[in-house]
Amino acid sequence: MACLSGSKNLKDLSKEELSALVREYGEPSYRAGQIYRWLFARGVDTIDSMTDLPQQMRERLKKEGFHLKLPETVATERSNDGTIKVVLRLLDGSLVESVLIPDERRLTLCVSTQTGCNLGCRFCKTASFKRCRNLSLSELVAQVEIARKLKQKEPALRQYHRITNIVIMGMGEPLNNLDEVLRFIKVLTDPSAMGYSPRRITLSTAGIIPALKTLLKSTRINLAISLNATDERTRTFLMPVNRRYPMKKLLRILRYSPLLKRRSLTIEYVLIRDVNDSKEDARRLAEILRGVRCKVNLIALNPFEGCPFSPPDEASVERFRNILEGCGLTVLVRKSRGRDILAACGQLGARMDKTS
Ligand code: SAH
């Protein structure tokens, strides 16, 4: 088994791999469940914290290079609206960011799934960071653990019993890291691991169709689709991935898939001045969403250094919203949180340009 050599985070092993490991060590099979609970329910970060494992087993794990090291927190930035951005340095030196967003009753954690992104969406800062690799299960889980630890320490977050919601919409395209993201969702929702209800988890995607189909079949979490345009040409201009997975095919799935029935679907639409914010766009958006059971999240573009676009003024956002509502759609104009610390949508990865 390849995982037995070299340095390896124990939290990257699947349940099956843990069972194989336990067998190989000549330990009774219940040890695999024991380790799994230590790793994902209690969230330990040293091998020695697993106190009911035999000493000799713990020693062997360490000797074989297994560890539970967490990424290092290199910065914790607090916005004046309460949002907190955490910059993490992974063991290979890559930097990723997670964002904690307190709202009245909710404390939402936004998790990154890649160290950059290769989709090349023109309005997104993360796209400029192309040296991109997928995060592993242990790196995904670590973001939750580090945010939990931070929550315990932060006086402003004391009122929250726990992180209530997880949104998989940070840096990267989660469906381009499908295997690890699916394993992450399993750990998040498994009652014997982190125990979140799938209704408290939302994944946002630019619409990688084959992976989307797999996701819908294998999980019950909520879905957010970044649409951002109302015709193929504009969408391809803004999001080159549209060439491969055209909007029309995506909308067909959203309209007809029976797997979407029992979960919430959000259509995300970044409003960009003079690109996709006209009255015609609003009407066309209502038209193409006919028969799709969803709500629409409008968000004015968050600009960043070097961004070629500008956000529309407030009046245009209102006009856009009114047209959609007039067509019977449920619309939310999303407040941008954490803009002052570059933690808002589309701004993640900004810091890395300075440090790399
Ligand atoms: N790749 C995934 C998740 C990351 S982006 C996706 O495309 O959904 C998360 C959300 O932020 C998406 O809805 C995206 O359209 C939005 N976004 C990206 N750049 C933005 C910007 N500059 N201003 C506002 N929203 C942005």
Side-chain angles (χ1 to χ4, degrees), residues 217-266:
K217 270 188 229 139
S218 40
T219 78
R220 287 168 36 231
I221 64 166
N222 301 320
L223 192 65
I225 298 283
S226 302
L227 199 63
N228 299 336
T230 59
D231 62 88
E232 303 285 1
R233 229 177 113 237
T234 309
R235 192 165 192 266
T236 300
F237 166 67
L238 291 173
M239 305 173 68
V241 68
N242 191 64
R243 209 169 288 132
R244 182 119 185 248
Y245 303 116
M247 193 166 76
K248 195 169 168 206
K249 282 195 177 158
L250 192 56
L251 287 165
R252 203 178 302 141
I253 296 175
L254 301 183
R255 187 169 292 120
Y256 297 118
S257 172
L259 293 168
L260 272 157
K261 272 194 186 125
R262 277 199 306 277
R263 59 183 112 207
S264 105
L265 170 64
T266 305

Coordinates of all heavy atoms in Angstrom, one line a residue, residues 217-266:
K217 N -25.9 12.7 -7.7 CA -26.3 11.3 -7.4 C -25.8 10.9 -6.0 O -26.4 10.1 -5.4 CB -25.6 10.4 -8.5 CG -26.6 10.2 -9.6 CD -26.0 9.1 -10.6 CE -26.0 9.6 -12.0 NZ -24.8 9.3 -12.8
S218 N -24.6 11.5 -5.6 CA -24.0 10.9 -4.4 C -24.2 11.7 -3.2 O -23.7 11.3 -2.1 CB -22.6 10.6 -4.7 OG -21.9 11.5 -5.5
T219 N -24.8 12.9 -3.2 CA -24.9 13.7 -2.0 C -26.3 14.4 -2.0 O -27.0 14.4 -3.1 CB -23.9 14.8 -1.9 OG1 -24.3 15.9 -2.7 CG2 -22.5 14.4 -2.2
R220 N -26.7 14.9 -0.9 CA -28.0 15.7 -0.8 C -27.7 17.1 -0.4 O -28.7 17.8 0.0 CB -28.9 15.0 0.2 CG -29.5 13.7 -0.4 CD -30.1 12.8 0.7 NE -30.9 13.6 1.7 CZ -30.7 13.5 3.0 NH1 -29.9 12.7 3.5 NH2 -31.4 14.3 3.8
I221 N -26.5 17.6 -0.6 CA -26.2 19.0 -0.2 C -26.9 20.0 -1.2 O -27.3 19.6 -2.3 CB -24.7 19.2 -0.1 CG1 -24.0 19.1 -1.5 CG2 -24.0 18.3 0.9 CD1 -22.6 19.6 -1.5
N222 N -26.9 21.2 -0.8 CA -27.5 22.3 -1.6 C -26.5 22.7 -2.7 O -25.3 22.5 -2.6 CB -27.8 23.5 -0.8 CG -28.8 23.2 0.3 OD1 -29.7 22.4 0.1 ND2 -28.6 23.7 1.5
L223 N -27.0 23.3 -3.7 CA -26.2 23.6 -4.9 C -26.4 25.1 -5.2 O -27.4 25.7 -5.1 CB -26.7 22.8 -6.0 CG -25.9 22.8 -7.3 CD1 -24.6 22.1 -7.0 CD2 -26.6 22.0 -8.4
A224 N -25.2 25.7 -5.6 CA -25.3 27.1 -6.1 C -24.5 27.0 -7.5 O -23.5 26.4 -7.6 CB -24.5 28.0 -5.2
I225 N -25.2 27.6 -8.5 CA -24.6 27.6 -9.8 C -24.2 29.0 -10.2 O -25.0 30.0 -10.1 CB -25.6 27.1 -10.8 CG1 -26.0 25.6 -10.5 CG2 -25.1 27.2 -12.3 CD1 -25.0 24.6 -10.9
S226 N -23.0 29.2 -10.6 CA -22.5 30.6 -11.0 C -22.9 30.8 -12.4 O -22.2 30.3 -13.3 CB -21.0 30.7 -10.8 OG -20.7 30.4 -9.4
L227 N -24.0 31.5 -12.7 CA -24.4 31.6 -14.1 C -23.8 32.8 -14.7 O -23.1 32.8 -15.7 CB -26.0 31.7 -14.1 CG -26.6 31.4 -15.4 CD1 -26.4 30.0 -15.8 CD2 -28.1 31.7 -15.3
N228 N -24.1 34.0 -14.1 CA -23.3 35.2 -14.4 C -23.5 35.8 -15.8 O -22.9 36.8 -16.2 CB -21.8 35.1 -14.2 CG -21.5 34.7 -12.8 OD1 -22.3 35.1 -11.9 ND2 -20.4 34.1 -12.5
A229 N -24.4 35.2 -16.6 CA -24.7 35.7 -17.9 C -26.0 35.1 -18.4 O -26.5 34.2 -17.8 CB -23.6 35.4 -18.9
T230 N -26.6 35.7 -19.5 CA -27.9 35.3 -19.9 C -27.8 34.8 -21.4 O -28.8 34.4 -21.9 CB -29.0 36.4 -19.8 OG1 -28.5 37.5 -20.6 CG2 -29.1 36.8 -18.4
D231 N -26.7 34.9 -22.0 CA -26.5 34.3 -23.3 C -25.2 33.6 -23.4 O -24.2 34.0 -22.7 CB -26.7 35.4 -24.4 CG -25.6 36.4 -24.3 OD1 -24.5 36.2 -24.9 OD2 -25.8 37.4 -23.6
E232 N -25.1 32.7 -24.3 CA -23.8 31.8 -24.4 C -22.6 32.7 -24.7 O -21.5 32.5 -24.1 CB -24.0 30.7 -25.5 CG -25.2 29.8 -25.4 CD -25.0 28.7 -24.3 OE1 -24.0 28.7 -23.6 OE2 -26.0 27.9 -24.1
R233 N -22.7 33.7 -25.6 CA -21.6 34.5 -25.9 C -21.0 35.2 -24.8 O -19.8 35.2 -24.5 CB -22.0 35.4 -27.1 CG -21.0 35.4 -28.2 CD -21.4 36.2 -29.3 NE -20.4 37.3 -29.5 CZ -20.7 38.6 -29.4 NH1 -21.9 39.0 -29.3 NH2 -19.7 39.5 -29.6
T234 N -21.8 35.9 -24.0 CA -21.4 36.6 -22.9 C -20.8 35.7 -21.8 O -19.8 36.0 -21.2 CB -22.5 37.5 -22.3 OG1 -23.1 38.2 -23.3 CG2 -22.0 38.4 -21.2
R235 N -21.5 34.6 -21.6 CA -21.0 33.6 -20.6 C -19.6 33.1 -21.0 O -18.7 32.9 -20.2 CB -22.0 32.5 -20.3 CG -21.7 31.7 -19.1 CD -22.8 30.9 -18.6 NE -22.6 30.4 -17.2 CZ -22.0 29.2 -16.9 NH1 -21.7 28.4 -17.9 NH2 -21.8 28.8 -15.7
T236 N -19.5 32.8 -22.3 CA -18.1 32.2 -22.7 C -17.1 33.3 -22.5 O -15.9 33.0 -22.2 CB -18.2 31.7 -24.2 OG1 -19.2 30.7 -24.2 CG2 -16.9 31.2 -24.6
F237 N -17.4 34.5 -22.8 CA -16.5 35.6 -22.6 C -16.1 35.8 -21.2 O -14.9 35.9 -20.9 CB -17.1 37.0 -23.1 CG -16.4 38.2 -22.7 CD1 -15.2 38.5 -23.2 CD2 -17.0 39.1 -21.8 CE1 -14.5 39.6 -22.8 CE2 -16.3 40.2 -21.4 CZ -15.1 40.5 -21.9
L238 N -17.1 35.7 -20.3 CA -16.7 35.9 -18.8 C -16.2 34.6 -18.2 O -15.3 34.7 -17.4 CB -18.0 36.2 -18.1 CG -18.6 37.6 -18.3 CD1 -19.9 37.8 -17.6 CD2 -17.6 38.7 -17.8
M239 N -16.7 33.5 -18.7 CA -16.3 32.2 -18.1 C -16.0 31.2 -19.2 O -16.9 30.5 -19.7 CB -17.5 31.6 -17.2 CG -18.0 32.6 -16.2 SD -19.5 32.0 -15.3 CE -18.9 30.6 -14.4
P240 N -14.7 31.1 -19.6 CA -14.4 30.3 -20.7 C -14.8 28.8 -20.6 O -15.0 28.1 -21.6 CB -12.8 30.3 -20.8 CG -12.5 31.6 -20.0 CD -13.6 31.9 -19.0
V241 N -15.1 28.3 -19.4 CA -15.5 27.0 -19.2 C -16.9 26.7 -19.9 O -17.3 25.6 -20.2 CB -15.7 26.7 -17.7 CG1 -16.8 27.5 -17.0 CG2 -15.8 25.2 -17.4
N242 N -17.6 27.8 -20.2 CA -18.9 27.7 -20.9 C -18.8 27.1 -22.3 O -19.7 26.6 -22.8 CB -19.5 29.1 -21.0 CG -21.0 29.0 -21.4 OD1 -21.8 28.4 -20.7 ND2 -21.3 29.5 -22.6
R243 N -17.6 27.2 -22.9 CA -17.4 26.6 -24.2 C -17.5 25.1 -24.1 O -18.2 24.5 -24.9 CB -16.0 27.0 -24.7 CG -15.9 27.1 -26.2 CD -14.6 27.7 -26.7 NE -14.5 29.2 -26.4 CZ -13.5 29.8 -25.8 NH1 -12.4 29.1 -25.4 NH2 -13.5 31.1 -25.6
R244 N -16.9 24.6 -23.1 CA -17.0 23.1 -22.9 C -18.3 22.6 -22.3 O -18.9 21.6 -22.8 CB -15.8 22.8 -21.9 CG -15.7 21.3 -21.6 CD -14.3 20.8 -22.1 NE -14.2 19.4 -21.9 CZ -13.4 18.8 -21.0 NH1 -12.6 19.6 -20.2 NH2 -13.4 17.5 -20.9
Y245 N -18.8 23.4 -21.4 CA -20.1 23.0 -20.8 C -21.1 24.2 -20.9 O -21.3 25.0 -20.0 CB -19.9 22.7 -19.3 CG -18.9 21.6 -19.1 CD1 -17.7 21.8 -18.4 CD2 -19.1 20.3 -19.6 CE1 -16.8 20.8 -18.3 CE2 -18.2 19.3 -19.4 CZ -17.0 19.6 -18.8 OH -16.1 18.6 -18.6
P246 N -21.8 24.3 -22.1 CA -22.6 25.4 -22.3 C -23.8 25.6 -21.4 O -24.3 24.6 -20.9 CB -23.1 25.2 -23.8 CG -22.5 23.9 -24.2 CD -21.7 23.3 -23.1
M247 N -24.2 26.8 -21.2 CA -25.2 27.2 -20.3 C -26.5 26.4 -20.6 O -27.3 26.0 -19.7 CB -25.5 28.7 -20.5 CG -26.3 29.4 -19.5 SD -26.1 31.1 -19.8 CE -27.1 31.4 -21.2
K248 N -26.8 26.2 -21.9 CA -28.0 25.5 -22.3 C -28.1 24.1 -21.7 O -29.2 23.7 -21.1 CB -28.1 25.5 -23.8 CG -29.4 25.1 -24.4 CD -29.4 25.3 -25.8 CE -30.7 24.7 -26.4 NZ -30.6 24.3 -27.8
K249 N -27.0 23.4 -21.7 CA -27.0 22.0 -21.2 C -27.1 22.1 -19.6 O -27.8 21.2 -19.0 CB -25.7 21.3 -21.5 CG -25.6 20.8 -22.9 CD -24.5 19.9 -23.0 CE -24.4 19.3 -24.4 NZ -23.1 18.8 -24.8
L250 N -26.5 23.1 -19.1 CA -26.5 23.2 -17.6 C -28.0 23.5 -17.2 O -28.5 22.9 -16.2 CB -25.6 24.4 -17.2 CG -25.2 24.6 -15.8 CD1 -24.6 23.4 -15.2 CD2 -24.2 25.8 -15.7
L251 N -28.6 24.4 -17.9 CA -30.0 24.8 -17.5 C -30.9 23.6 -17.7 O -31.9 23.5 -16.9 CB -30.4 26.0 -18.3 CG -29.8 27.3 -17.9 CD1 -30.0 28.4 -19.0 CD2 -30.3 27.8 -16.6
R252 N -30.6 22.8 -18.7 CA -31.5 21.6 -18.9 C -31.4 20.7 -17.6 O -32.5 20.2 -17.2 CB -31.0 20.8 -20.1 CG -32.2 20.0 -20.7 CD -31.8 19.3 -22.0 NE -31.3 20.2 -23.0 CZ -30.3 19.9 -23.9 NH1 -29.6 18.8 -23.7 NH2 -29.9 20.8 -24.8
I253 N -30.2 20.5 -17.1 CA -30.1 19.7 -15.9 C -30.9 20.3 -14.7 O -31.6 19.7 -14.0 CB -28.6 19.5 -15.5 CG1 -27.9 18.7 -16.6 CG2 -28.5 18.8 -14.2 CD1 -26.4 18.6 -16.4
L254 N -30.7 21.7 -14.6 CA -31.3 22.3 -13.5 C -32.8 22.3 -13.6 O -33.5 22.3 -12.6 CB -30.8 23.8 -13.4 CG -29.3 24.0 -13.3 CD1 -29.0 25.5 -13.2 CD2 -28.8 23.2 -12.1
R255 N -33.3 22.3 -14.8 CA -34.8 22.3 -15.0 C -35.4 20.9 -14.8 O -36.4 20.8 -14.2 CB -35.1 22.8 -16.4 CG -36.6 23.0 -16.6 CD -36.8 23.8 -17.9 NE -36.4 25.2 -17.9 CZ -35.5 25.7 -18.7 NH1 -34.9 25.0 -19.6 NH2 -35.1 27.0 -18.5
Y256 N -34.6 19.9 -15.3 CA -35.3 18.6 -15.3 C -34.8 17.5 -14.3 O -35.4 16.5 -14.1 CB -35.2 18.0 -16.7 CG -35.9 18.9 -17.7 CD1 -35.2 19.5 -18.8 CD2 -37.3 19.1 -17.6 CE1 -35.9 20.2 -19.7 CE2 -38.0 19.9 -18.6 CZ -37.3 20.4 -19.6 OH -37.9 21.2 -20.5
S257 N -33.6 17.7 -13.7 CA -33.1 16.6 -12.9 C -34.0 16.4 -11.7 O -34.2 17.3 -10.8 CB -31.7 16.9 -12.5 OG -31.3 15.9 -11.5
P258 N -34.5 15.2 -11.5 CA -35.3 14.8 -10.3 C -34.4 14.9 -9.1 O -34.9 15.1 -8.0 CB -35.7 13.4 -10.6 CG -34.9 12.9 -11.7 CD -34.3 14.0 -12.4
L259 N -33.1 14.8 -9.3 CA -32.2 14.9 -8.1 C -32.1 16.2 -7.4 O -31.6 16.4 -6.4 CB -30.8 14.4 -8.5 CG -30.7 12.9 -8.9 CD1 -29.4 12.6 -9.6 CD2 -30.9 12.0 -7.7
L260 N -32.7 17.2 -8.1 CA -32.6 18.6 -7.6 C -33.8 18.9 -6.7 O -33.9 20.0 -6.1 CB -32.5 19.6 -8.7 CG -31.0 19.9 -9.1 CD1 -30.9 20.4 -10.5 CD2 -30.4 20.9 -8.1
K261 N -34.8 18.0 -6.8 CA -36.1 18.3 -6.1 C -36.0 18.7 -4.7 O -36.7 19.6 -4.2 CB -37.1 17.2 -6.4 CG -37.8 17.4 -7.7 CD -39.0 16.5 -7.8 CE -39.6 16.6 -9.2 NZ -39.7 15.3 -9.8
R262 N -35.2 17.9 -3.9 CA -35.3 18.0 -2.5 C -34.1 18.8 -1.9 O -33.7 18.6 -0.8 CB -35.4 16.7 -1.8 CG -36.8 16.2 -1.8 CD -37.0 15.2 -0.7 NE -36.1 14.0 -0.9 CZ -36.3 13.0 -1.7 NH1 -37.3 13.0 -2.5 NH2 -35.4 12.1 -1.8
R263 N -33.6 19.7 -2.7 CA -32.5 20.5 -2.1 C -32.6 22.0 -2.7 O -33.3 22.2 -3.7 CB -31.1 20.0 -2.5 CG -30.9 19.8 -3.9 CD -29.5 19.2 -4.2 NE -29.6 17.9 -4.7 CZ -28.7 16.9 -4.6 NH1 -27.6 17.1 -3.8 NH2 -28.9 15.8 -5.1
S264 N -32.0 22.9 -2.0 CA -32.1 24.3 -2.5 C -31.1 24.5 -3.6 O -30.0 24.0 -3.6 CB -32.0 25.2 -1.3 OG -30.8 25.9 -1.3
L265 N -31.6 25.3 -4.5 CA -30.8 25.6 -5.7 C -30.7 27.2 -5.8 O -31.7 27.8 -5.8 CB -31.4 25.1 -7.0 CG -30.7 25.6 -8.3 CD1 -29.3 25.1 -8.4 CD2 -31.5 25.0 -9.5
T266 N -29.5 27.7 -5.8 CA -29.3 29.1 -5.9 C -28.6 29.4 -7.2 O -27.6 28.7 -7.6 CB -28.4 29.6 -4.8 OG1 -28.9 29.2 -3.5 CG2 -28.2 31.1 -4.8

